[in-house]
Amino acid sequence: MGFRLTVTRGKSEGKEFSFTKARVRVGRNHDNDLVLYDLNVSRHHFEIVRDGSHYLLKDCGSQNGTRVNDSPAVDAPLKDGDRIQLGGLEFEFTGSDTQPHFTMDDDTERAELFAPQSPEQRARLEEIRTSAVSLKQLRELKERQDSATPAVARRNGGGKAAAPEPPKSPTRNPLLETHKNLPDPSLRRRRILYPLAGLAAFAVPVVGFLVLYKPKAQNLSDKKFAITQDLEAKSFGAGRVDVPTPERAQFAWLSNGGRAVVHFTAGGIEREDEIAIVLNGEPIVNVPVTGQAWGGEIELKLDRKRLKAGQENVLAFVHKALPGEAPRWGIRGVSLSEIALPEASLDRALVALKKADEDVQNKKIALGNLASAEDSYRQAILLMEALDPHPPQYARAEAQLKAVQLELKEILQSKLFLAEKAKKLGQLQEAESVLKELQLFFPKVDDPRRQQIDERLSALRGPL
């Protein structure tokens, strides 16, 4: 049993790597099973592990993260056709029992495949900025090294080279001796070029320092940032972030007293108590551990009892530093939606809940029923939000809403992948058919998911 990785984007597109090993590690370091000489790839980026009859992808704490089908992945199952993205590269995963002539198995030495055989070859390979290093490249390097062997050694069959003949005394040339005291015609040129070369040797480092030097980033931990759409594209925290807030990242908004839900993505969280989420000065929960990479999107519903209706509210991500620790954490994609609540009514909520359940049962009859169920579950939750305490149906409606949203997300991702694959194969009609079917799942034209589908369809059809 084995699998293949096919390069579908980046240098060496179309190239295949086949493996039969139970664990295959991929990265930029030469001790990996698959070496990718790309500076955007970490030394040990990710690994693929056999789990019974299936395979799992595990991120090794890479700097830039690993994505599967355009979604961040830390520990994800793999199936045929999945796209693995890292740096500027993309691989397509295919499980296969039939292997080509050359495979990586447990008996194959890594050094024979990717590890350099000598310091000279290693230095040469590390200069190659490519997506993969193949055996052909190693053979070419070996042939170049062999061609540099002295001709005397080759004539002696690769054995001990013959002793060189003693140099002969130079023959006197009276004509050359006659002109040896004439002025050197290149002397004037050297007198000009040498000082210029010295000046350039001094100027280049100075100019490089001025260009590359960046002043120490300002600490904006005490600043409050208004939650807007522009905020979603920025990252906050410590390390390689857009906005340096090493101690805390604070976000403010004016609450209408409704149902408030915040979405964000966290990264670089190494401890369970490293980042605390604080609402209006009161700690509510800790950010989950993500490791060095960025994790998936997190949804957090805020307690209405802690919100200040008609006033400024502050949501803060507070970092707890350890002695001697250099913080490296981040929060990005921060967005908040707050929906004004209708008049509370358990009877109306139960009607909406019943309709939502019926739509889920009839989801195969009409493709738009799942989206309709999503709306009805959301309406039921809003009608029960102000009830104190919440009735038992409230928790069930929330759980059902999350399940429907997850199912719709999986449908959207799988259909978009099929449409993109058909487009790459030149099957434009098939791609258009898949996108039109996907529109039926999201009938509301103002739904962001429907707008994403419409954009793909317009790009596929081209300008009218």
Side-chain angles (χ1 to χ4, degrees), residues 186-432:
S186 64
L187 180 60
R188 182 179 178 183
R189 187 165 58 252
R190 292 202 304 271
R191 286 177 177 174
I192 298 175
L193 294 179
Y194 285 179
L196 290 177
L199 180 62
F202 171 77
V204 168
V206 174
V207 173
F209 173 78
L210 295 175
V211 171
L212 299 177
Y213 172 74
K214 293 182 179 179
K216 187 177 180 180
Q218 183 182 4
N219 188 340
L220 301 177
S221 297
D222 294 330
K223 183 176 178 179
K224 298 176 184 177
F225 298 90
I227 298 182
T228 61
Q229 287 186 346
D230 296 337
L231 202 67
E232 296 183 30
K234 296 182 179 179
S235 58
F236 301 78
R240 299 173 63 180
V241 295
D242 300 321
V243 184
T245 56
E247 299 166 11
R248 70 188 69 84
Q250 303 182 84
F251 306 97
W253 80 100
L254 189 66
S255 173
N256 60 17
R259 174 185 169 89
V261 178
V262 64
H263 294 84
F264 64 92
T265 302
I269 314 299
E270 302 283 355
R271 308 188 311 273
E272 292 183 356
D273 63 342
E274 185 171 358
I275 302 294
I277 301 179
V278 180
L279 176 60
N280 293 327
E282 297 183 30
I284 54 176
V285 71
N286 291 333
V287 178
V289 174
T290 64
Q292 297 181 5
W294 289 100
E297 185 181 71
I298 299 175
E299 178 181 291
L300 176 65
K301 176 181 170 292
L302 302 181
D303 187 355
R304 287 182 58 252
K305 297 178 181 179
R306 302 188 182 185
L307 295 176
K308 302 174 183 178
Q311 302 180 39
E312 182 187 68
N313 290 258
V314 179
L315 184 72
F317 296 84
V318 182
H319 180 260
K320 180 181 178 181
L322 297 179
E325 179 186 49
R328 290 183 63 86
W329 63 277
I331 299 293
R332 69 181 183 187
V334 179
S335 65
L336 182 138
S337 60
E338 188 170 12
I339 304 174
L341 298 181
E343 182 180 354
S345 172
L346 180 58
D347 292 337
R348 292 169 57 197
L350 294 179
V351 172
L353 193 59
K354 181 180 179 181
K355 181 181 182 305
D357 292 339
E358 291 175 352
D359 286 336
V360 171
Q361 292 176 359
N362 299 325
K363 63 183 180 180
K364 293 184 178 180
I365 298 177
L367 300 183
N369 281 346
L370 269 181
S372 176
E374 182 184 32
D375 291 338
S376 297
Y377 282 130
R378 189 180 289 114
Q379 182 184 6
I381 291 171
L382 293 176
L383 289 168
M384 294 184 285
E385 186 71 48
L387 297 177
D388 191 13
H390 289 152
Q393 293 86 349
Y394 180 86
R396 186 174 81 82
E398 280 197 323
Q400 288 294 100
L401 176 62
K402 289 182 179 179
V404 169
Q405 288 176 333
L406 179 60
E407 186 172 354
L408 285 172
K409 180 180 179 181
E410 292 175 350
I411 291 173
L412 179 66
Q413 290 180 344
S414 62
K415 296 289 185 182
L416 288 178
F417 171 74
L418 291 176
E420 187 65 23
K421 185 175 181 180
K423 179 183 176 182
K424 288 183 177 180
L425 296 174
Q427 302 170 356
L428 301 185
Q429 291 184 349
E430 175 67 18
E432 183 176 357

Side-chain angles (χ1 to χ4, degrees), residues 56-99:
L56 297 176
L57 181 142
K58 296 185 178 183
D59 189 89
C60 299
S62 60
Q63 182 68 34
N64 295 326
T66 308
R67 302 175 73 86
V68 176
N69 298 329
D70 299 318
S71 298
V74 177
D75 191 348
L78 292 175
K79 61 182 183 301
D80 285 1
D82 280 350
R83 295 170 294 119
I84 303 172
Q85 297 120 353
L86 67 163
L89 303 173
E90 180 180 275
F91 293 91
E92 181 176 329
F93 174 88
T94 306
S96 176
D97 292 328
T98 60
Q99 302 294 323

